[in-house]
Amino acid sequence: MSRSATPSSLAGPLVVQPLKRRHCAECRTGPLRMLVLEDGTPRCLDCADLGHLMFLPRGDTALTRRSREESALSAVVVRFNRRKGRYERQGVLVEEAGLARAERRCLADAEARRRRRARDARRREREDARFAEAFATEIRRLFPGCPPERARDIAGHASVRGSGRVGRSAAGRALSEGAVTSAVAASVRHLDTPYDELLMSGVPRHEARRRIGAAVEGVLRVWRGGREGGGGVGGGGRPPPPWTLTYVIGSLGHGHRIRTGFSWW
């Protein structure tokens, strides 16, 4: 969704928290903390007949759902996330009386919901542990030379729930070869090559990846070959043939340069 586009609401009015200073086109008040766009024109909540509603921030799913159920009129509040390029929910506007009724309902069954959350958390922990184990097993199948402890570390890192990493993608959950290989390559890139140092020295990401690409492939080639512990600084192995990579990552001035090397003998 482009920045200028307004997200559609599934039910009820939509309220926007603007990133820039905006004023109401009708009463000229502002800058507005929240506004409603009508045909692309900003209006304050009072002019949009929503000024009597109370803002309930996101966070308590049960309270939010029940507040909307108890309110004859409600609205979803969103704000544009520049980094992700999309609108995200910030909360809802609900009637004060509806919010009070929802709070009473939540208090009445708070203990039951707490126990349910605890059960769900334990269930997710068991599921996550089984998935991480399956991911590590698949790493060892595709890369028999990868040390078992390293395979478990890679699987645990890639499969963290809510992390957005490759292990939590659809392909990762399906244990596809491409997703598993991507997770292993990412680990090698950060732990067994000067990739992070290159980024810190100002080398663009794509250029840094190009420079260490051969080193990453060397480790993966050895691990695929089945030699235990092969490849990389962390694994302790030595892929053939002997070779050395050295990169200039900084300068002290007067022609003196700092170098970091990534070598196998």
Side-chain angles (χ1 to χ4, degrees):
M1 182 179 296
S2 66
R3 179 177 172 181
S4 59
T6 303
S8 59
S9 177
L10 296 178
L14 189 71
V15 175
V16 178
Q17 291 180 342
L19 300 181
K20 295 183 177 180
R21 295 167 61 90
R22 304 291 294 274
H23 291 71
C24 178
E26 189 168 332
C27 68
R28 302 301 179 183
T29 58
L32 302 175
R33 188 170 60 92
M34 299 183 192
L35 58 85
V36 176
L37 288 174
E38 296 179 347
D39 297 325
T41 302
R43 283 181 169 78
C44 67
L45 297 185
D46 286 332
C47 292
D49 296 328
L50 300 176
H52 64 293
L53 300 181
M54 296 185 63
F55 177 59
L56 176 62
R58 65 182 182 181
D60 190 326
T61 304
L63 182 59
T64 297
R65 174 175 53 80
R66 290 173 171 178
S67 295
R68 298 198 73 187
E69 292 173 354
E70 296 288 350
S71 298
L73 177 64
S74 64
V76 175
V77 180
V78 299
R79 182 170 60 210
F80 189 80
N81 185 317
R82 286 195 179 101
R83 183 175 63 85
K84 297 181 179 179
R86 69 188 185 203
Y87 283 91
E88 296 180 337
R89 287 196 179 206
Q90 303 302 309
V92 293
L93 293 174
V94 294
E95 296 173 340
E96 184 175 3
L99 176 57
R101 289 191 294 269
E103 289 174 336
R104 288 195 294 269
R105 288 174 59 186
C106 288
L107 286 174
D109 64 358
E111 180 59 24
R113 289 187 294 110
R114 185 194 66 79
R115 291 195 298 268
R116 185 169 61 248
R117 286 195 300 269
R119 289 195 302 270
D120 291 343
R122 290 193 294 270
R123 174 181 53 79
R124 287 192 295 268
E125 287 178 1
R126 291 192 296 269
E127 291 174 351
D128 291 348
R130 286 195 296 268
F131 176 65
E133 183 178 352
F135 203 96
T137 299
E138 186 65 9
I139 290 175
R140 293 285 290 155
R141 186 185 73 82
L142 295 173
F143 300 93
C146 178
E149 186 62 32
R150 182 68 178 272
R152 286 191 292 269
D153 289 343
I154 294 171
H157 180 79
S159 61
V160 173
R161 185 184 293 266
S163 64
R165 296 171 187 147
V166 66
R168 301 309 303 189
S169 65
R173 292 194 299 272
L175 297 179
S176 74
E177 182 175 346
V180 174
T181 300
S182 293
V184 175
S187 175
V188 172
R189 184 182 306 120
H190 288 287
L191 298 182
D192 301 327
T193 77
Y195 179 67
D196 292 350
E197 288 89 340
L198 290 171
L199 294 181
M200 290 299 294
S201 70
V203 177
R205 181 173 62 89
H206 295 295
E207 173 62 16
R209 284 201 175 197
R210 186 191 65 79
R211 293 187 189 182
I212 55 89
V216 173
E217 285 303 317
V219 176
L220 298 184
R221 184 167 55 252
V222 171
W223 283 0
R224 284 191 185 99
R227 288 193 297 166
E228 187 73 22
V233 177
R238 300 176 182 179
W243 59 299
T244 301
L245 294 177
T246 304
Y247 305 114
V248 176
I249 65 169
S251 174
L252 296 176
H254 305 292
H256 300 291
R257 291 181 172 181
I258 307 172
R259 291 180 179 268
T260 183
F262 179 57
S263 305
W264 281 307
W265 297 272

